[in-house]
Each structure stands twice: as structure tokens, then as C-alpha cells.
Amino acid sequence: MSSLLHWLHPWYPSWPMALFLLGGAVLYLRGTLKQHTPWWRQMWFWLGWLLTYQGLQTQWDYYAEHQFFLHMLQQMALHDLGPLLVMLAWPGPTWRAGIPARWRSRYLVPLMRTTPMRGLTDFVLNPWIAGALFSGLVVFWLVPFIHVGVMLNTTVYQLMNWTMVFDGLLFWWLVLDPRPAPPAHMRPGGRIFLPIVAMVPQMILGAVLALTSTDWYPIYTLCGRAISGIDPLTDQHLGGLILWIPASGINVIAAMVALRNWMRLSERGRLPEPSRQAAAQNSPDPHPEPRPRPAG
């Protein structure tokens, strides 16, 4: 029990992070009490939210600062898997229901209708911008001379974690949106290809880190590694493999979910006619007509 309590004690306590996580959890719980949310959606949300909490406010920070492959596991949880699970639950309507109606009408709706907020939303949810940010931030924070500054500065380290979480949430919100466009910001067909395209830069960087014979991050040796039995190159190779294979695999899973959302919209007749025809052509016919036998 003492070891569990020690693990749950944050290495870098942060009140803004704690308030963000607590606020999101309270709003979601309040929303589930006000409207029916399927149990499986609730399960995905809480798994993703708890995984995000683990990556932000536990001793994971200590190990991530002292072992490169553990750092890559943390970033995969904060940027890829945690936000993906949260957005699989499609929590927006539940969060909205959790906000008191008076607050929604008096504050939220007018705020979202302001020109600056609409411009910001259109910018961050633009597919080109979202894709560039999603893969670009991963590469940026792993540039060796930038990574040294991250590991030596607590404020920059927390900034990195914040950007990874919010970028992951925004990107998967765009990709996993189950609605037609509009009101969604991207057409259903495009949501299938966006995660595939966005994963290419991180796959290349992961492959380079997994195969290189040069230690790009000696800062972990200078600070002392958490696991002494793993040499620096092995540590870097493991981190590269994590970025190369499982992190990229999450993008493939997201593309499959986006494909399923596209097919569901087509089945319900909620796509424009050209999109419905393309979806019908790409889906197997559950009741194929028998082919005529050749004469003779």
C-alpha cells in the first residue's frame, strides 16, 4: 500500500494540471447523471482520463526523466493512447450536459460565438494544421538540443506534457468525430487518411532512433538512469521502437475507427450522395446476387 501511495504522489505537483483533470472528471460524471451515456463510452473515457492522470501527476515523471524508453511510453500515453481513448467515448455532449444550463446560455454559447474563439477553433481544427501539429510536436520535443533543455527545466518539461495532451485531444476529436460534415470540421473520408499521413514523420524518427548507433540523448546518462542494467543505446533503441511501432499502430486503429464511422453514416443516409456511393462501393455486399452459371 505504501508503494502505491508513493507512486500516486506527483513528482512535479501542478495545481493547473490537477484542476484540469479534476474539472474534466467532475463535468463528465455530472453529465452522465443528467443524460444517458452508454456504459462502454464511460469505460473508454475513464480509462483514457486515468491514463492521462498517470502520465501527468504521478511518479511516472521521475522515471520518464531518467530513462528514455520510459519517457517515450509516457509521451505515447499523453499524446496518443490516453486522448484516443477519451475521444473514443465522444465526451463532448456529456461534458456539455455537465455544465449547468444557466452557465451554458450565459457564458459558454456567447464565448464560442465570438470571432476570436471561432477563428481559434477553425485554426486548430484545420486538417492541415492539426496533422502538422500532431506529428510536428513529437519531432520538435525530441530534437536533441531541445530535449536537453526539456530535461533540465521543470517549466519547459511541464509545457511539453501540456502540449502533448491538448494536441492529442484536439487531433483525435477531429479524427474520431462521428458526425457528418458539417457540423464536423472534416469530411468522414478525410478522417481515415489524416492519421495515416500524420504518423509518417514519427515513424521515420522512431526508425532512426531504433537503428542508429549514436547516442542522441546523453543527458539521461548525466542525470542518472533509473534502470542501471540498460545501456544508453539499448535504452534509445527501445524508445525508438515504441515511437516507431506501437505509437504508429494507434494511428492505424484510429483510421479503422474513422472508417467504421464513415460506413455508419453511409448506412444511415447522412452522407452526401457521392460519399454514399463511394462508401457502398468500398463495403462488401452482405447479400450478393448469385452469378449465373455458364451454359453447357
Side-chain angles (χ1 to χ4, degrees):
M1 180 60 71
S2 60
S3 60
L4 176 61
L5 293 177
H6 172 71
W7 172 262
L8 293 176
H9 186 271
W11 177 246
Y12 288 132
S14 171
W15 284 110
M17 286 183 181
L19 288 174
F20 165 72
L21 293 167
L22 178 62
V26 170
L27 275 183
Y28 191 82
L29 182 60
R30 180 182 171 90
T32 58
L33 297 176
K34 287 184 171 292
Q35 67 173 26
H36 172 69
T37 303
W39 67 268
W40 56 271
R41 288 188 182 273
Q42 297 185 46
M43 178 188 70
W44 290 132
F45 173 83
W46 290 115
L47 284 176
W49 209 247
L50 289 173
L51 184 59
T52 304
Y53 170 83
Q54 282 283 306
L56 289 174
Q57 288 291 276
T58 64
Q59 291 291 306
W60 200 343
D61 270 337
Y62 167 78
Y63 292 98
E65 281 196 331
H66 293 82
Q67 202 75 38
F68 181 69
F69 86 90
L70 294 177
H71 172 77
M72 295 311 302
L73 283 175
Q74 181 198 42
Q75 296 308 300
M76 184 178 72
L78 294 177
H79 186 245
D80 300 308
L81 186 55
L84 176 78
L85 291 172
V86 170
M87 288 306 156
L88 273 177
W90 194 239
T94 307
W95 272 332
R96 182 181 177 86
I99 303 175
R102 182 181 300 178
W103 293 9
R104 291 202 304 268
S105 60
R106 181 173 297 182
Y107 303 111
L108 181 61
V109 173
L111 175 65
M112 297 306 296
R113 289 177 176 173
T114 61
T115 301
M117 184 59 66
R118 294 177 65 179
L120 177 62
T121 303
D122 291 339
F123 176 78
V124 297
L125 293 179
N126 178 283
W128 296 102
I129 300 297
L133 285 176
F134 185 78
S135 57
L137 281 174
V138 174
V139 176
F140 173 77
W141 290 118
L142 288 175
V143 173
F145 73 89
I146 294 176
H147 200 72
V148 171
V150 170
M151 292 296 109
L152 295 179
N153 189 302
T154 303
T155 302
V156 179
Y157 179 83
Q158 292 184 336
L159 174 65
M160 174 189 66
N161 286 344
W162 270 101
T163 59
M164 298 299 271
V165 170
F166 281 110
D167 180 57
L169 289 172
L170 287 171
F171 184 78
W172 296 130
W173 180 19
L174 180 65
V175 170
L176 301 180
D177 194 331
R179 304 170 299 174
H185 288 76
M186 190 176 184
R187 292 182 178 179
R191 298 173 214 163
I192 302 169
F193 298 102
L194 183 60
I196 302 299
V197 174
M199 78 180 182
V200 173
Q202 68 184 41
M203 284 185 66
I204 295 174
L205 178 57
V208 171
L209 292 176
L211 300 175
T212 186
S213 57
T214 302
D215 182 11
W216 286 14
Y217 306 106
I219 185 64
Y220 289 91
T221 300
L222 295 175
C223 293
R225 297 181 186 268
I227 304 176
S228 58
I230 300 179
D231 64 84
L233 274 180
T234 301
D235 186 19
Q236 182 173 287
H237 291 165
L238 289 172
L241 285 172
I242 291 169
L243 182 61
W244 183 6
I245 300 175
S248 300
I250 291 173
N251 288 47
V252 176
I253 294 173
M256 295 173 65
V257 175
L259 175 61
R260 177 58 187 140
N261 287 338
W262 185 41
M263 302 306 299
R264 184 181 295 112
L265 289 172
S266 176
E267 292 167 0
R268 296 176 180 177
R270 300 184 66 189
L271 294 179
E273 186 62 30
S275 298
R276 286 203 299 269
Q277 291 177 358
Q281 291 173 0
N282 290 325
S283 62
D285 188 353
H287 302 292
E289 296 182 0
R291 296 180 180 178
R293 294 183 179 180

